[in-house]
mmCIF file of all heavy atoms in Angstrom:
data_model
loop_
_atom_site.group_PDB
_atom_site.id
_atom_site.type_symbol
_atom_site.label_atom_id
_atom_site.label_comp_id
_atom_site.label_asym_id
_atom_site.label_seq_id
_atom_site.Cartn_x
_atom_site.Cartn_y
_atom_site.Cartn_z
ATOM 1 N N GLN A 1 8.389 25.063 25.886
ATOM 2 C CA GLN A 1 8.035 23.750 25.378
ATOM 3 C C GLN A 1 9.303 22.981 25.004
ATOM 4 O O GLN A 1 10.315 23.565 24.626
ATOM 5 C CB GLN A 1 7.135 23.875 24.155
ATOM 6 C CG GLN A 1 5.738 24.417 24.465
ATOM 7 C CD GLN A 1 4.918 23.443 25.286
ATOM 8 O OE1 GLN A 1 4.659 23.667 26.451
ATOM 9 N NE2 GLN A 1 4.529 22.351 24.655
ATOM 10 N N THR A 2 9.238 21.665 25.123
ATOM 11 C CA THR A 2 10.362 20.794 24.786
ATOM 12 C C THR A 2 10.106 20.144 23.427
ATOM 13 O O THR A 2 8.961 19.838 23.077
ATOM 14 C CB THR A 2 10.525 19.703 25.863
ATOM 15 O OG1 THR A 2 10.796 20.333 27.119
ATOM 16 C CG2 THR A 2 11.676 18.762 25.522
ATOM 17 N N GLN A 3 11.162 19.935 22.653
ATOM 18 C CA GLN A 3 11.033 19.287 21.358
ATOM 19 C C GLN A 3 10.515 17.852 21.524
ATOM 20 O O GLN A 3 11.010 17.097 22.364
ATOM 21 C CB GLN A 3 12.387 19.256 20.648
ATOM 22 C CG GLN A 3 12.912 20.631 20.263
ATOM 23 C CD GLN A 3 12.025 21.303 19.222
ATOM 24 O OE1 GLN A 3 11.558 20.666 18.273
ATOM 25 N NE2 GLN A 3 11.786 22.580 19.392
ATOM 26 N N LEU A 4 9.513 17.498 20.705
ATOM 27 C CA LEU A 4 8.904 16.169 20.786
ATOM 28 C C LEU A 4 9.311 15.368 19.549
ATOM 29 O O LEU A 4 8.516 15.163 18.635
ATOM 30 C CB LEU A 4 7.382 16.296 20.890
ATOM 31 C CG LEU A 4 6.848 17.289 21.939
ATOM 32 C CD1 LEU A 4 5.329 17.316 21.924
ATOM 33 C CD2 LEU A 4 7.369 16.927 23.336
ATOM 34 N N ASN A 5 10.537 14.906 19.532
ATOM 35 C CA ASN A 5 11.103 14.257 18.342
ATOM 36 C C ASN A 5 11.236 12.744 18.474
ATOM 37 O O ASN A 5 11.714 12.089 17.544
ATOM 38 C CB ASN A 5 12.480 14.849 18.027
ATOM 39 C CG ASN A 5 12.396 16.332 17.688
ATOM 40 O OD1 ASN A 5 11.427 16.787 17.091
ATOM 41 N ND2 ASN A 5 13.416 17.086 18.090
ATOM 42 N N ASP A 6 10.832 12.171 19.609
ATOM 43 C CA ASP A 6 11.050 10.747 19.844
ATOM 44 C C ASP A 6 9.749 9.958 19.721
ATOM 45 O O ASP A 6 8.701 10.378 20.223
ATOM 46 C CB ASP A 6 11.636 10.519 21.245
ATOM 47 C CG ASP A 6 12.946 11.258 21.447
ATOM 48 O OD1 ASP A 6 13.743 11.295 20.497
ATOM 49 O OD2 ASP A 6 13.152 11.806 22.548
ATOM 50 N N LEU A 7 9.831 8.820 19.063
ATOM 51 C CA LEU A 7 8.710 7.883 19.002
ATOM 52 C C LEU A 7 8.898 6.884 20.139
ATOM 53 O O LEU A 7 9.871 6.118 20.147
ATOM 54 C CB LEU A 7 8.674 7.172 17.651
ATOM 55 C CG LEU A 7 7.379 6.413 17.305
ATOM 56 C CD1 LEU A 7 6.208 7.379 17.223
ATOM 57 C CD2 LEU A 7 7.552 5.654 15.996
ATOM 58 N N ILE A 8 7.985 6.884 21.096
ATOM 59 C CA ILE A 8 8.171 6.137 22.341
ATOM 60 C C ILE A 8 7.112 5.063 22.494
ATOM 61 O O ILE A 8 5.910 5.340 22.411
ATOM 62 C CB ILE A 8 8.105 7.090 23.552
ATOM 63 C CG1 ILE A 8 9.106 8.247 23.378
ATOM 64 C CG2 ILE A 8 8.380 6.335 24.842
ATOM 65 C CD1 ILE A 8 8.886 9.366 24.370
ATOM 66 N N ASN A 9 7.559 3.844 22.732
ATOM 67 C CA ASN A 9 6.667 2.745 23.090
ATOM 68 C C ASN A 9 6.508 2.774 24.609
ATOM 69 O O ASN A 9 7.438 2.458 25.349
ATOM 70 C CB ASN A 9 7.254 1.414 22.631
ATOM 71 C CG ASN A 9 6.293 0.248 22.856
ATOM 72 O OD1 ASN A 9 5.684 0.126 23.905
ATOM 73 N ND2 ASN A 9 6.176 -0.621 21.853
ATOM 74 N N ILE A 10 5.333 3.172 25.077
ATOM 75 C CA ILE A 10 5.104 3.366 26.512
ATOM 76 C C ILE A 10 5.315 2.076 27.297
ATOM 77 O O ILE A 10 5.900 2.076 28.383
ATOM 78 C CB ILE A 10 3.695 3.926 26.767
ATOM 79 C CG1 ILE A 10 3.573 5.348 26.210
ATOM 80 C CG2 ILE A 10 3.370 3.927 28.261
ATOM 81 C CD1 ILE A 10 4.454 6.350 26.911
ATOM 82 N N LYS A 11 4.859 0.948 26.757
ATOM 83 C CA LYS A 11 5.016 -0.318 27.478
ATOM 84 C C LYS A 11 6.485 -0.659 27.692
ATOM 85 O O LYS A 11 6.879 -1.103 28.772
ATOM 86 C CB LYS A 11 4.315 -1.437 26.707
ATOM 87 C CG LYS A 11 2.795 -1.343 26.696
ATOM 88 C CD LYS A 11 2.173 -2.525 25.979
ATOM 89 C CE LYS A 11 0.658 -2.434 25.976
ATOM 90 N NZ LYS A 11 0.030 -3.581 25.272
ATOM 91 N N GLU A 12 7.300 -0.445 26.666
ATOM 92 C CA GLU A 12 8.727 -0.728 26.793
ATOM 93 C C GLU A 12 9.395 0.215 27.776
ATOM 94 O O GLU A 12 10.230 -0.202 28.600
ATOM 95 C CB GLU A 12 9.401 -0.630 25.424
ATOM 96 C CG GLU A 12 8.980 -1.720 24.444
ATOM 97 C CD GLU A 12 9.659 -1.574 23.097
ATOM 98 O OE1 GLU A 12 10.417 -0.577 22.916
ATOM 99 O OE2 GLU A 12 9.443 -2.431 22.227
ATOM 100 N N LEU A 13 9.051 1.496 27.713
ATOM 101 C CA LEU A 13 9.646 2.477 28.625
ATOM 102 C C LEU A 13 9.283 2.159 30.073
ATOM 103 O O LEU A 13 10.134 2.195 30.968
ATOM 104 C CB LEU A 13 9.194 3.886 28.252
ATOM 105 C CG LEU A 13 9.783 5.026 29.091
ATOM 106 C CD1 LEU A 13 10.055 6.250 28.223
ATOM 107 C CD2 LEU A 13 8.831 5.420 30.226
ATOM 108 N N VAL A 14 8.003 1.842 30.311
ATOM 109 C CA VAL A 14 7.555 1.506 31.664
ATOM 110 C C VAL A 14 8.313 0.284 32.184
ATOM 111 O O VAL A 14 8.774 0.264 33.334
ATOM 112 C CB VAL A 14 6.033 1.263 31.686
ATOM 113 C CG1 VAL A 14 5.616 0.568 32.989
ATOM 114 C CG2 VAL A 14 5.283 2.576 31.539
ATOM 115 N N ALA A 15 8.472 -0.736 31.358
ATOM 116 C CA ALA A 15 9.173 -1.948 31.776
ATOM 117 C C ALA A 15 10.621 -1.642 32.150
ATOM 118 O O ALA A 15 11.143 -2.169 33.146
ATOM 119 C CB ALA A 15 9.119 -2.989 30.660
ATOM 120 N N GLN A 16 11.280 -0.777 31.388
ATOM 121 C CA GLN A 16 12.669 -0.435 31.662
ATOM 122 C C GLN A 16 12.813 0.326 32.976
ATOM 123 O O GLN A 16 13.713 0.056 33.773
ATOM 124 C CB GLN A 16 13.244 0.389 30.502
ATOM 125 C CG GLN A 16 13.416 -0.406 29.217
ATOM 126 C CD GLN A 16 13.768 0.474 28.035
ATOM 127 O OE1 GLN A 16 13.970 1.676 28.167
ATOM 128 N NE2 GLN A 16 13.836 -0.125 26.844
ATOM 129 N N VAL A 17 11.917 1.299 33.208
ATOM 130 C CA VAL A 17 12.002 2.092 34.443
ATOM 131 C C VAL A 17 11.675 1.224 35.656
ATOM 132 O O VAL A 17 12.354 1.306 36.694
ATOM 133 C CB VAL A 17 11.056 3.304 34.372
ATOM 134 C CG1 VAL A 17 11.059 4.059 35.707
ATOM 135 C CG2 VAL A 17 11.468 4.246 33.247
ATOM 136 N N VAL A 18 10.641 0.378 35.546
ATOM 137 C CA VAL A 18 10.276 -0.497 36.661
ATOM 138 C C VAL A 18 11.440 -1.423 37.005
ATOM 139 O O VAL A 18 11.750 -1.653 38.184
ATOM 140 C CB VAL A 18 9.010 -1.318 36.320
ATOM 141 C CG1 VAL A 18 8.788 -2.429 37.363
ATOM 142 C CG2 VAL A 18 7.790 -0.416 36.261
ATOM 143 N N ALA A 19 12.124 -1.965 35.987
ATOM 144 C CA ALA A 19 13.246 -2.872 36.213
ATOM 145 C C ALA A 19 14.406 -2.174 36.920
ATOM 146 O O ALA A 19 15.197 -2.822 37.611
ATOM 147 C CB ALA A 19 13.718 -3.453 34.884
ATOM 148 N N SER A 20 14.495 -0.845 36.784
ATOM 149 C CA SER A 20 15.603 -0.103 37.396
ATOM 150 C C SER A 20 15.376 0.189 38.876
ATOM 151 O O SER A 20 16.303 0.597 39.571
ATOM 152 C CB SER A 20 15.826 1.216 36.650
ATOM 153 O OG SER A 20 14.762 2.133 36.891
ATOM 154 N N LYS A 21 14.162 -0.010 39.349
ATOM 155 C CA LYS A 21 13.845 0.263 40.755
ATOM 156 C C LYS A 21 14.140 -0.967 41.605
ATOM 157 O O LYS A 21 13.856 -2.095 41.221
ATOM 158 C CB LYS A 21 12.373 0.667 40.918
ATOM 159 C CG LYS A 21 11.963 1.866 40.069
ATOM 160 C CD LYS A 21 12.735 3.118 40.399
ATOM 161 C CE LYS A 21 12.325 4.281 39.512
ATOM 162 N NZ LYS A 21 13.103 5.508 39.775
ATOM 163 N N ALA A 22 14.697 -0.748 42.772
ATOM 164 C CA ALA A 22 15.104 -1.851 43.646
ATOM 165 C C ALA A 22 13.945 -2.316 44.530
ATOM 166 O O ALA A 22 14.086 -2.447 45.746
ATOM 167 C CB ALA A 22 16.290 -1.424 44.497
ATOM 168 N N VAL A 23 12.787 -2.539 43.934
ATOM 169 C CA VAL A 23 11.612 -3.033 44.660
ATOM 170 C C VAL A 23 10.943 -4.106 43.811
ATOM 171 O O VAL A 23 11.110 -4.156 42.594
ATOM 172 C CB VAL A 23 10.614 -1.899 44.972
ATOM 173 C CG1 VAL A 23 11.213 -0.887 45.927
ATOM 174 C CG2 VAL A 23 10.162 -1.205 43.691
ATOM 175 N N ASP A 24 10.160 -4.960 44.462
ATOM 176 C CA ASP A 24 9.489 -6.043 43.732
ATOM 177 C C ASP A 24 7.980 -6.036 43.933
ATOM 178 O O ASP A 24 7.309 -7.049 43.724
ATOM 179 C CB ASP A 24 10.066 -7.395 44.148
ATOM 180 C CG ASP A 24 9.972 -7.641 45.653
ATOM 181 O OD1 ASP A 24 9.361 -6.797 46.363
ATOM 182 O OD2 ASP A 24 10.496 -8.662 46.113
ATOM 183 N N ASN A 25 7.434 -4.895 44.350
ATOM 184 C CA ASN A 25 5.994 -4.817 44.592
ATOM 185 C C ASN A 25 5.262 -3.936 43.582
ATOM 186 O O ASN A 25 4.184 -3.414 43.855
ATOM 187 C CB ASN A 25 5.722 -4.300 46.007
ATOM 188 C CG ASN A 25 6.278 -2.895 46.248
ATOM 189 O OD1 ASN A 25 7.310 -2.528 45.681
ATOM 190 N ND2 ASN A 25 5.601 -2.123 47.083
ATOM 191 N N ILE A 26 5.854 -3.774 42.391
ATOM 192 C CA ILE A 26 5.230 -2.965 41.341
ATOM 193 C C ILE A 26 4.548 -3.885 40.340
ATOM 194 O O ILE A 26 5.194 -4.761 39.742
ATOM 195 C CB ILE A 26 6.267 -2.082 40.614
ATOM 196 C CG1 ILE A 26 6.984 -1.167 41.611
ATOM 197 C CG2 ILE A 26 5.590 -1.251 39.527
ATOM 198 C CD1 ILE A 26 8.118 -0.364 40.999
ATOM 199 N N ASN A 27 3.249 -3.707 40.177
ATOM 200 C CA ASN A 27 2.476 -4.514 39.246
ATOM 201 C C ASN A 27 2.066 -3.668 38.050
ATOM 202 O O ASN A 27 1.422 -2.635 38.214
ATOM 203 C CB ASN A 27 1.219 -5.071 39.927
ATOM 204 C CG ASN A 27 1.555 -5.931 41.125
ATOM 205 O OD1 ASN A 27 2.510 -6.705 41.098
ATOM 206 N ND2 ASN A 27 0.772 -5.803 42.196
ATOM 207 N N VAL A 28 2.455 -4.090 36.858
ATOM 208 C CA VAL A 28 2.127 -3.361 35.630
ATOM 209 C C VAL A 28 0.968 -4.048 34.928
ATOM 210 O O VAL A 28 1.007 -5.261 34.678
ATOM 211 C CB VAL A 28 3.345 -3.282 34.686
ATOM 212 C CG1 VAL A 28 2.976 -2.522 33.417
ATOM 213 C CG2 VAL A 28 4.525 -2.614 35.392
ATOM 214 N N VAL A 29 -0.071 -3.274 34.606
ATOM 215 C CA VAL A 29 -1.259 -3.795 33.931
ATOM 216 C C VAL A 29 -1.454 -3.013 32.636
ATOM 217 O O VAL A 29 -1.593 -1.786 32.662
ATOM 218 C CB VAL A 29 -2.518 -3.668 34.814
ATOM 219 C CG1 VAL A 29 -3.747 -4.183 34.059
ATOM 220 C CG2 VAL A 29 -2.330 -4.428 36.120
ATOM 221 N N ALA A 30 -1.432 -3.713 31.505
ATOM 222 C CA ALA A 30 -1.660 -3.076 30.202
ATOM 223 C C ALA A 30 -3.127 -3.258 29.812
ATOM 224 O O ALA A 30 -3.601 -4.383 29.643
ATOM 225 C CB ALA A 30 -0.749 -3.688 29.149
ATOM 226 N N LYS A 31 -3.828 -2.142 29.682
ATOM 227 C CA LYS A 31 -5.242 -2.191 29.308
ATOM 228 C C LYS A 31 -5.429 -2.354 27.798
ATOM 229 O O LYS A 31 -6.528 -2.641 27.337
ATOM 230 C CB LYS A 31 -5.946 -0.918 29.791
ATOM 231 C CG LYS A 31 -5.959 -0.754 31.310
ATOM 232 C CD LYS A 31 -6.691 0.511 31.706
ATOM 233 C CE LYS A 31 -6.735 0.671 33.214
ATOM 234 N NZ LYS A 31 -7.448 1.918 33.625
ATOM 235 N N GLU A 32 -4.341 -2.138 27.044
ATOM 236 C CA GLU A 32 -4.388 -2.272 25.587
ATOM 237 C C GLU A 32 -3.556 -3.488 25.167
ATOM 238 O O GLU A 32 -2.464 -3.706 25.674
ATOM 239 C CB GLU A 32 -3.817 -1.009 24.919
ATOM 240 C CG GLU A 32 -4.523 0.279 25.290
ATOM 241 C CD GLU A 32 -5.896 0.376 24.668
ATOM 242 O OE1 GLU A 32 -6.074 -0.160 23.553
ATOM 243 O OE2 GLU A 32 -6.774 0.999 25.286
ATOM 244 N N ARG A 33 -4.086 -4.272 24.241
ATOM 245 C CA ARG A 33 -3.351 -5.447 23.776
ATOM 246 C C ARG A 33 -2.137 -5.059 22.932
ATOM 247 O O ARG A 33 -1.077 -5.664 23.030
ATOM 248 C CB ARG A 33 -4.277 -6.355 22.966
ATOM 249 C CG ARG A 33 -5.352 -7.050 23.812
ATOM 250 C CD ARG A 33 -6.115 -8.053 22.968
ATOM 251 N NE ARG A 33 -7.092 -8.772 23.763
ATOM 252 C CZ ARG A 33 -7.881 -9.724 23.292
ATOM 253 N NH1 ARG A 33 -7.808 -10.063 21.995
ATOM 254 N NH2 ARG A 33 -8.744 -10.332 24.079
ATOM 255 N N GLY A 34 -2.308 -4.095 22.077
ATOM 256 C CA GLY A 34 -1.212 -3.671 21.207
ATOM 257 C C GLY A 34 -0.302 -2.667 21.879
ATOM 258 O O GLY A 34 -0.446 -2.334 23.061
ATOM 259 N N ASP A 35 0.684 -2.190 21.115
ATOM 260 C CA ASP A 35 1.611 -1.188 21.629
ATOM 261 C C ASP A 35 0.908 0.147 21.844
ATOM 262 O O ASP A 35 -0.034 0.486 21.131
ATOM 263 C CB ASP A 35 2.776 -0.996 20.653
ATOM 264 C CG ASP A 35 3.685 -2.217 20.596
ATOM 265 O OD1 ASP A 35 3.716 -2.967 21.591
ATOM 266 O OD2 ASP A 35 4.342 -2.415 19.561
ATOM 267 N N VAL A 36 1.378 0.879 22.830
ATOM 268 C CA VAL A 36 0.903 2.240 23.084
ATOM 269 C C VAL A 36 2.064 3.168 22.759
ATOM 270 O O VAL A 36 3.066 3.195 23.474
ATOM 271 C CB VAL A 36 0.444 2.418 24.546
ATOM 272 C CG1 VAL A 36 -0.013 3.844 24.782
ATOM 273 C CG2 VAL A 36 -0.657 1.427 24.884
ATOM 274 N N VAL A 37 1.947 3.899 21.657
ATOM 275 C CA VAL A 37 3.059 4.690 21.134
ATOM 276 C C VAL A 37 2.701 6.176 21.133
ATOM 277 O O VAL A 37 1.571 6.548 20.796
ATOM 278 C CB VAL A 37 3.428 4.232 19.712
ATOM 279 C CG1 VAL A 37 4.562 5.079 19.148
ATOM 280 C CG2 VAL A 37 3.809 2.754 19.707
ATOM 281 N N ILE A 38 3.662 7.009 21.513
ATOM 282 C CA ILE A 38 3.463 8.453 21.493
ATOM 283 C C ILE A 38 4.657 9.133 20.835
ATOM 284 O O ILE A 38 5.762 8.584 20.798
ATOM 285 C CB ILE A 38 3.279 9.039 22.915
ATOM 286 C CG1 ILE A 38 4.536 8.776 23.773
ATOM 287 C CG2 ILE A 38 2.035 8.482 23.576
ATOM 288 C CD1 ILE A 38 4.504 9.471 25.116
ATOM 289 N N HIS A 39 4.417 10.323 20.299
ATOM 290 C CA HIS A 39 5.492 11.207 19.834
ATOM 291 C C HIS A 39 5.747 12.205 20.954
ATOM 292 O O HIS A 39 4.888 13.029 21.267
ATOM 293 C CB HIS A 39 5.069 11.947 18.566
ATOM 294 C CG HIS A 39 5.820 11.520 17.353
ATOM 295 N ND1 HIS A 39 5.206 11.035 16.223
ATOM 296 C CD2 HIS A 39 7.148 11.483 17.099
ATOM 297 C CE1 HIS A 39 6.110 10.723 15.311
ATOM 298 N NE2 HIS A 39 7.297 10.988 15.820
#
């Protein structure tokens, strides 16, 4: 198992990874209005 010590905003992480890809055909749809956060 890996240590789960980070509080992650999924929407922000997804936006950062998508921006790093050299393509423009990725559509992101958020089904939740608020932040989606995980430990």
Side-chain angles (χ1 to χ4, degrees):
Q1 291 292 109
T2 299
Q3 294 295 318
L4 311 180
N5 297 326
D6 302 321
L7 194 63
I8 306 168
N9 186 315
I10 293 295
K11 291 183 180 180
E12 292 179 357
L13 182 143
V14 165
Q16 291 171 5
V17 175
V18 169
S20 71
K21 304 299 179 182
V23 295
D24 57 5
N25 61 328
I26 302 174
N27 301 320
V28 180
V29 178
K31 297 181 179 180
E32 302 288 328
R33 290 187 177 181
D35 291 335
V36 179
V37 178
I38 61 173
H39 249 123

